[in-house]
Amino acid sequence: MRLLSILLLAGCLQAADDWPQFRGNPQLTGVSSATLPATLKLLWTYEAGEGIQSSAAIANGTVYVGVESADLLAIDLGTGKLRWKYHASEGIDESSPLVHDGVVYVGDIAGTIHAVNAADGKALWTFKTGSEVRSSPVIAGDRVFIGSYDGNLYCLSAKDGKLLWKFTTSSYVHATPAISGGLVYIAGCDEIFRGLRIADGKEAFEFGSGGYTGASPAMLGQWAYFGTFNNDVAGADLSRKKIAWRYENPERQFPFYSSAAVTGDRVVLGGRDKVVHCLNAKTGKAIWTFATKARVDSSPAIAGDRVYVGSNDGRLYVLDLASGKKLWDFEAGAPLSASPAIGGGRVVIGSQDGKLFCFG
């Protein structure tokens, strides 16, 4: 019996290389510990029927992803077979699922936040905001944080969805909040970067971000990195509570909507200039760039020494982190604005024509 109990407990524990939320972790670094094959192969494709802009979560051998049809899907990572389907209020657009302690959380464009049993897709609770939700949920302890186009960042009880606090900004809260060091961080559409106390939502600090920000901040140590609609990327030194550097493409001025991945001394993100950029994390100087054939709204994921990123040119790219050299690509046949999820030795990404691809 003791061995059985241990095995059952192990089955409930999340694997170390899972990708349980948007950008993989509460700091939104976009980095996975998973080991992937040197050359990827397409293992399966699932036809979801309508567009996928939600980025997948991978936990305990299951892929969870939202679809514009308003369906939240649970798909077996090994086989690509549907396990269950949950229908939300309206379409699930860019909000990406969070999986934690057997519950899946996601928002929809009706402004409803849903908590669903991860095992069978049964509804547990819902919470209604005042406008559409494109932000993705994150969790700290027993609290779920998510933004809404009604201008609020919400802190909800993970157990029952009760409102614990909300913080009101002067514009949409589009981006996903990041969690680090007892604070929740938001880079807002009101052009202000904020750190709020997890406990009570009181503002610990704020400073101007210098631009309308749709990207989510990636946190590493005392630094935050995010792109703006002012056509630049900001590196914020949180110890000094100020923007330390800005980067612009010297040749083409376009917004940065992709959320950054950050590891070591490198920040990697896509731009609407059709380019993937790799920057020095301390100086903001370009290390390398890689040109695609359309805008890159997909947020890169990093595993080992490789970068995985989609493009609206319909391709999933694998790039060398050190040099930016293309190592592999896959033609999906439709724009890939969703971001890749990496877990269980696999890469999963959805396309705007409703296909979910799994590579390994």
Side-chain angles (χ1 to χ4, degrees), residues 170-193:
S170 61
S171 189
Y172 310 132
V173 181
H174 174 94
T176 298
I179 304 287
S180 183
L183 297 179
V184 54
Y185 298 91
I186 48 173
C189 297
D190 59 359
E191 305 188 12
I192 297 175
F193 185 86

Side-chain angles (χ1 to χ4, degrees), residues 220 222-223 225 244-245 264-265 267 279-285:
L220 188 63
Q222 285 294 300
W223 286 76
Y225 306 94
W245 54 255
D265 65 347
V267 179
L279 314 176
N280 182 284
K282 294 299 183 185
T283 67
K285 302 295 184 184

